[in-house]
Amino acid sequence: MSRRRALRALVYATLIAATLVVLLPLGVVLLTSLKSSKEMTDGSGALTPPDDPLDVHNYVEAFQDGRMLQAFGNTLFICAFAIAGTVLIGSMTAYAIDRFTFRLKKLVVALFLLAALVPGVTTQVATFQIVNSFGLFDTRWAPIVLYMGTDIVSIYIFLQFIRSIPVSLDEAARLDGANAFTIYWRIILPLLKPAIATVVIVKGIAVYNDFYIPFLYMPSQDLGVISTSLFRFRGPYGAHWEIISAGTILVILPTLIVFLALQRFIYNGFMRGATR
Amino acid sequence: MPGAPGQARRRGQGWRALTPWLFLLVPLALLITFTYAPIADMVAYSFTDWDGVSPELHYTGGHNYAEIFTRQDLFEVFFVSGYYLAASAVQIVAALYFATILSFKVRFRNFFKGVLFFPSLINGVAIGFVFLYFFQDGGTLDTVLGLFGVHTGHAWLGTPVSANISLAGVSVWRYTGLNFVLFLGAIQSIPGELYEAAELDGASRWQQFRYIIAPGIKPVVTLTVILSVSGSLSVFEVPYIMTGGATGTETFVTQTVKLAFQYNKTGLASAAAVVLLLIVLAVTWVQRRLVPDDRADLV
């Protein structure tokens, strides 16, 4: 039996080691964010606790000078439209593909499938010219249309769900005189709630964290989102790690709160989203 | 009322034939505008010397492609992918290990699960800053190593080899949790009776892993391997944020972004993107061959 106990101890040792590896870099940034600039110049070690752990002065400075309020506002705006658009477009596509037979259906499906294989980053050089020609460059609509237009994963998630909704429901409604749009809006969409929750979570996290698209398409200071505003900390605060750390924690905190509140849904969402 | 019922039906049929297209109008327009049109344009640009701005562009044939494969500084980025490929291997093995042990009864299971998964939800720029600080001279890593009596007067991001290893390490930190959750989900979808039966037959943990878990999660693991390959080729955020591509950490995408948006070499950048796209498509095609994925059927 002692071999089994040794094995158990080893399992826990690796789990604790992994926990340390994950939490240590984050913890040190949290410590640093609470130190004064004087402490930093005096050469406070990375693992030394701050003199005054309740001093949130760096956070105030990061929040104000880093224009974080504006960044959160822009991110929220883009998130809201991108998510609403993704839900509508994804569910409409899935509804059309699953509930209708029409000519060229195979081609349409193949187009969506093939697009899933094209990594977005590869085509940006050319996408940039198209976005530019629509006059969307350096507006908040550029990321919104890009996020809406390329989300194959959500279409797939909706498709899985629509298949599990019995077609007899549609038929019953049709006998009552409902047309396709009424059926979609009144019957399908409400029944898709679990799928919508999944898409909202996965898409929300993806949009909140994306750096590439806002970085390329919205260079204006005023259009900074969370990622790009934080990225701009590099210049002015180059050596002020206490301010950069505070900004970093400010960006991570909402993710942590959402994660703790919605844990179960987030796991499910990612499993459904990523395995496709 | 000549032929009223027939006409009504025909009109009804016309509507019915049109209805799916009304639903697909916007999705297809977006798909074509922002996925297929760019691909077509990109291929066209790749044969020109366009700078992205001027109205003038000249057809240069395969010149851009020749440049990518012959100019050493442009081609070298492929070797950098090697570091990330190695990191993917580490990441998959670690994820597999943790998914296996956490699928059995373990104390504080949900806590460990949450801790392992959380990094994959964090903003990439934030991760870049966290690790820029972590790898600083006299920063976290040096301090921790110092606690164990290891003193390295070493600039982690200072030489190409150690900088790339450090950045690839960040990748492992960031993505292991995502793979872990996917594997865990796959393991948990294996019916519990199988373990019970195995346990009754006196199967050891290793045997349970070997004969029940491993075959059960094979499709997910293969998918992850393929995603890791294309992921390793298209690394962008962390090296761009942490080193800006300095000290030999330029990746394919950071280089393409620079070519296109800093040096205005749209033609050359397009050719590079076409090459990357072809590699990724080839990898995916191989995957579809190896694992005929019956769940990925859209029809």
Side-chain angles (χ1 to χ4, degrees):
Chain A
M1 240 22 203
S2 77
R3 196 167 154 246
R4 196 152 195 163
R5 269 174 77 180
L7 214 64
R8 269 192 96 71
L10 198 70
V11 162
Y12 282 103
T14 53
L15 282 170
I16 291 166
T19 307
L20 280 177
V21 169
V22 170
L23 295 185
L24 191 76
L26 298 172
V28 171
V29 168
L30 180 64
L31 284 184
T32 306
S33 73
L34 296 166
K35 290 175 183 173
S36 66
S37 57
K38 193 175 166 301
E39 272 176 278
M40 292 299 287
T41 42
D42 287 352
S44 169
L47 298 175
T48 327
D51 289 344
D52 179 4
L54 295 177
D55 181 11
V56 291
H57 166 263
N58 296 328
Y59 285 89
V60 176
E61 184 163 350
F63 194 77
Q64 285 173 347
D65 288 6
R67 302 223 228 159
M68 293 306 258
L69 190 63
Q70 198 179 39
F72 276 108
N74 285 334
T75 306
L76 208 65
F77 181 88
I78 292 170
C79 259
F81 280 95
I83 291 173
T86 305
V87 166
L88 282 178
I89 285 171
S91 55
M92 285 196 304
T93 312
Y95 177 65
I97 290 176
D98 189 61
R99 290 298 207 250
F100 293 91
T101 42
F102 52 93
R103 288 177 66 199
L104 302 180
K105 179 168 158 175
K106 281 227 161 90
L107 175 72
V108 170
V109 171
L111 280 179
F112 279 108
L113 253 184
L114 198 62
L117 306 182
V118 179
V121 289
T122 57
T123 52
Q124 292 308 322
V125 182
T127 309
F128 185 86
Q129 307 297 338
I130 290 177
V131 169
N132 206 2
S133 70
F134 284 125
L136 293 176
F137 175 66
D138 216 14
T139 70
R140 286 178 293 193
W141 298 104
I144 290 173
V145 293
L146 289 174
Y147 292 139
M148 284 195 318
T150 50
D151 197 3
I152 313 316
V153 175
S154 71
I155 295 178
Y156 187 72
I157 293 173
F158 282 125
L159 207 57
Q160 295 296 308
F161 266 84
I162 286 188
R163 272 187 204 151
S164 68
I165 300 173
V167 186
S168 55
L169 275 181
D170 299 35
E171 281 159 1
R174 185 159 291 126
L175 286 179
D176 288 343
N179 63 30
F181 292 93
T182 324
I183 293 171
Y184 164 75
W185 191 251
R186 291 277 178 80
I187 294 171
I188 302 290
L189 211 52
L191 285 173
L192 280 180
K193 266 183 200 141
I196 294 177
T198 300
V199 169
V200 168
I201 288 173
V202 174
K203 193 76 186 176
I205 290 171
V207 172
Y208 182 85
N209 288 337
D210 188 37
F211 170 67
Y212 195 76
I213 286 179
F215 174 71
L216 286 185
Y217 293 97
M218 300 192 301
S220 286
Q221 282 269 332
D222 288 344
L223 293 178
V225 293
I226 291 297
S227 304
T228 48
S229 297
L230 185 64
F231 184 64
R232 291 200 186 105
F233 275 51
R234 259 200 101 156
Y237 301 110
H240 289 278
W241 274 103
E242 70 282 5
I243 307 278
I244 294 185
S245 300
T248 305
I249 298 288
L250 273 179
V251 167
I252 297 178
L253 212 55
T255 315
L256 181 62
I257 294 169
V258 170
F259 174 60
L260 292 178
L262 302 174
Q263 258 191 75
R264 202 160 51 86
F265 301 104
I266 291 182
Y267 288 129
N268 289 341
F270 271 79
M271 264 152 24
R272 228 171 256 144
T275 46
R276 280 194 287 207
Chain B
M1 293 285 165
Q7 237 173 29
R9 205 168 78 220
R10 209 167 307 136
R11 204 169 333 140
Q13 272 175 347
W15 258 115
R16 255 195 88 71
L18 206 62
T19 322
W21 293 106
L22 292 175
F23 281 98
L24 288 170
L25 199 64
V26 177
L28 275 177
L30 285 169
L31 182 74
I32 289 165
T33 318
F34 295 109
T35 302
Y36 287 103
I39 296 176
D41 287 354
M42 186 174 79
V43 174
Y45 296 154
S46 75
F47 294 105
T48 70
D49 64 351
W50 197 34
D51 63 3
V53 207
S54 81
E56 252 186 71
L57 77 176
H58 305 101
Y59 175 76
T60 55
H63 179 75
N64 289 325
Y65 291 95
E67 208 172 333
I68 289 167
F69 288 108
T70 51
R71 250 174 68 184
Q72 212 202 345
D73 56 316
L74 291 181
F75 194 72
E76 254 167 15
V77 292
F78 282 109
F79 298 113
V80 174
S81 306
Y83 289 95
Y84 293 95
L85 270 176
S88 310
V90 174
Q91 180 182 306
I92 288 171
V93 170
L96 205 52
Y97 168 76
F98 286 115
T100 309
I101 62 176
L102 284 177
S103 65
F104 294 116
K105 243 199 206 120
V106 171
R107 252 173 230 265
F108 309 115
R109 194 163 156 250
N110 285 330
F111 170 78
F112 287 125
K113 217 172 123 181
V115 166
L116 284 172
F117 180 57
F118 185 61
S120 37
L121 300 177
I122 302 179
N123 189 291
V125 182
I127 290 180
F129 283 162
V130 166
F131 280 95
L132 208 48
Y133 192 54
F134 185 82
F135 287 122
Q136 266 195 337
D137 290 343
T140 320
L141 187 53
D142 287 340
T143 314
V144 172
L145 289 176
L147 290 180
F148 292 102
V150 185
H151 294 280
T152 56
H154 193 77
W156 293 104
L157 301 175
T159 66
V161 173
S162 83
N164 276 315
I165 291 175
S166 304
L167 293 183
V170 176
S171 249
V172 175
W173 186 89
R174 187 178 183 188
Y175 293 116
T176 299
L178 185 60
N179 292 340
F180 155 76
V181 162
L182 299 182
F183 296 163
L184 194 65
I187 292 176
Q188 280 167 352
S189 66
I190 299 170
E193 303 95 67
L194 282 180
Y195 300 109
E196 283 162 31
E199 203 120 336
L200 282 179
D201 291 342
S204 70
R205 280 286 148 89
W206 168 249
Q207 284 167 328
Q208 288 181 33
F209 176 79
R210 176 76 187 74
Y211 296 105
I212 301 177
I213 297 180
I217 61 174
K218 203 176 144 215
V220 182
V221 176
T222 323
L223 179 71
T224 312
V225 170
I226 304 302
L227 287 179
S228 300
V229 175
S230 61
S232 305
L233 289 164
S234 38
V235 177
F236 169 71
E237 269 185 348
V238 164
Y240 191 85
I241 291 154
M242 287 181 65
T243 63
T247 49
T249 58
E250 199 82 272
T251 69
F252 206 89
V253 181
T254 62
Q255 186 183 61
T256 307
V257 167
K258 271 190 195 161
L259 285 177
F261 300 106
Q262 245 163 290
Y263 307 133
N264 286 337
K265 299 204 168 200
T266 306
L268 187 57
S270 299
V274 170
V275 171
L276 178 58
L277 183 58
L278 289 177
I279 296 175
V280 171
L281 288 180
V283 169
T284 317
W285 182 77
V286 169
Q287 181 237 337
R288 297 272 141 140
R289 297 256 95 171
L290 289 179
V291 195
D293 188 359
D294 47 27
R295 286 172 309 165
D297 60 332
L298 268 174
V299 198

